[in-house]
Amino acid sequence: MPTRFDLTTEPIRPLRLLLLALMMTFIGEYVIMRLMPYLLPAGIGETHAAIADACLLTVFVTPVLWVVAVRPIERLAESRMHFLRRALTSQEEERRRITQDLHDGLGQSLTSLMLGLRAMEETTTDQRVCEQASTLRTMGAAIHDDLRRIVRGLRPAILDQLGLVAAIERLVDDVRHSGGPSIDYHVKGMDRLRLNQDLETTAFRIVQEAVSNAVRHSMAEHLQVSLTVHERELELRISDDGKGFDGSTIFSGGRFSYGLLGIRERAMISGGRAEILTRPDEGTTVTAHLPLSIRTANHE
């Protein structure tokens, strides 16, 4: 016999919760006031009566609010966190698959094409064909460079092979070579250490998004990127000397704010926290603290 499951949940309505809380408080207070003459000894002082009233009201209202308000919100938050974690994991797996396909498929085909053009250029006696082959090979080299840049943006292989420190160093070098602002990169406490894969991915994406925002929006001339391992957490700090922004615009829904919200979400699902310190014309600092999970790198 089939079993039916209702996957929909009743939406949480703030006004309804407020009215329910007020109603339960009113009912609780009414019941307590009616019972107070029977519960308290005669001649008790006003202060003690008020304390007893507050305690009884708290005992009455708290379980009701827990059942009708706190638990539904808690379940909704847990469901949201689980969904976000699965979504980000699936996104990284898809990026890894696309990266591999581009590298093994299009990248290899492009390399073979360039080798064929080079062979044609070296063996032909027709000057016009030689020039065309050289031109096409130059175009192919440019396309190959663009492909490698896209692949690194999707999922840098160095992140899986050599870890977080090397991946961010490659990211910093790419920004420097693209004519972006100067960047100082500092690492402290990461010698001979590798974090678990999920944490390394989270940290890399946070740094990548913060650096990308600084390069595209802040008009900064200088950036500082630092990774610091403390006893129980990894601290990421990305600072720029750009124009800053009004912090209230973080929740305005633009592409810039989506990136900052993405930083917050990634830090949150890893059990950490992120904060942004900014002021117009005084630069921006993005700081993330992620709970640490370390494994010693194998250098044998």
Side-chain angles (χ1 to χ4, degrees):
M1 183 176 180
T3 303
R4 184 186 301 274
F5 294 97
D6 186 3
L7 295 180
T8 60
T9 58
E10 185 177 355
I12 295 175
R13 298 180 175 90
L15 180 59
R16 180 179 176 181
L17 290 178
L18 175 62
L19 293 176
L20 182 61
L22 292 176
M23 182 180 69
M24 295 308 303
T25 303
F26 175 81
I27 294 174
E29 182 65 14
Y30 174 79
V31 172
I32 290 170
M33 292 302 295
R34 293 300 299 265
L35 294 177
M36 285 281 281
Y38 304 99
L39 297 176
L40 298 180
I44 190 172
E46 293 183 359
T47 301
H48 292 89
I51 293 174
D53 184 15
C55 292
L56 289 173
L57 182 62
T58 301
V59 170
F60 177 82
V61 173
T62 297
V64 178
L65 290 181
W66 176 266
V67 172
V68 301
V70 177
R71 278 302 298 159
I73 294 175
E74 188 178 51
R75 285 194 296 267
L76 182 63
E78 290 173 353
S79 177
R80 175 176 174 271
M81 290 292 292
H82 179 70
F83 177 78
L84 282 174
R85 189 176 293 109
R86 289 292 300 271
L88 289 175
T89 300
S90 298
Q91 182 186 70
E92 290 299 331
E93 291 175 352
E94 184 67 10
R95 284 182 170 183
R96 188 181 288 109
R97 184 190 64 79
I98 293 174
T99 297
Q100 195 67 34
D101 289 345
L102 288 175
H103 180 270
D104 295 344
L106 187 57
Q108 296 295 340
S109 298
L110 189 57
T111 299
S112 298
L113 178 62
M114 291 172 62
L115 290 174
L117 290 171
R118 181 176 181 179
M120 181 186 298
E121 183 182 356
E122 293 175 349
T123 58
T124 185
T125 58
D126 189 321
Q127 184 63 27
R128 189 178 64 176
V129 172
C130 182
E131 291 176 354
Q132 288 180 341
S134 177
T135 300
L136 291 173
R137 192 157 64 87
T138 301
M139 292 174 58
I143 294 172
H144 193 267
D145 289 340
D146 289 340
L147 180 62
R148 287 197 302 176
R149 177 179 54 80
I150 293 171
V151 166
R152 286 202 299 268
L154 283 172
R155 175 76 186 186
I158 195 172
L159 179 62
D160 297 321
Q161 297 168 358
L162 300 181
L164 179 63
V165 174
I168 296 181
E169 186 174 355
R170 173 68 62 81
L171 173 66
V172 169
D173 288 340
D174 287 344
V175 173
R176 288 169 177 163
H177 296 155
S178 66
S182 62
I183 303 181
D184 290 336
Y185 178 36
H186 304 285
V187 180
K188 182 178 179 181
M190 287 286 289
D191 296 338
R192 297 180 59 84
L193 294 179
R194 286 290 304 272
L195 312 179
N196 77 23
Q197 189 177 63
D198 290 340
L199 183 56
E200 287 194 336
T201 298
T202 296
F204 177 78
R205 293 302 181 194
I206 289 174
V207 174
Q208 185 183 45
E209 185 61 45
V211 170
S212 177
N213 275 336
V215 170
R216 290 184 295 173
H217 302 290
S218 73
M219 300 177 63
E221 296 181 357
H222 184 72
L223 273 69
Q224 289 187 334
V225 178
S226 66
L227 273 68
T228 305
V229 172
H230 300 289
E231 183 178 355
R232 296 182 179 179
E233 69 177 17
L234 170 66
E235 179 186 87
L236 311 171
R237 188 180 298 272
I238 304 92
S239 303
D240 68 66
D241 60 356
K243 61 182 182 180
F245 60 94
D246 181 1
S248 63
T249 63
I250 292 178
F251 301 100
S252 63
R255 292 181 63 187
F256 178 52
S257 61
Y258 286 149
L260 296 177
L261 291 175
I263 290 174
R264 184 189 69 176
E265 300 293 340
R266 287 184 179 275
M268 186 170 61
I269 66 173
S270 69
R273 65 190 190 278
E275 61 182 17
I276 299 169
L277 177 63
T278 185
R279 186 177 298 174
D281 301 321
E282 294 188 14
T284 301
T285 298
V286 176
T287 307
H289 300 269
L290 308 178
L292 201 56
S293 177
I294 296 177
R295 59 185 174 87
T296 305
N298 184 6
H299 294 286
E300 296 179 358

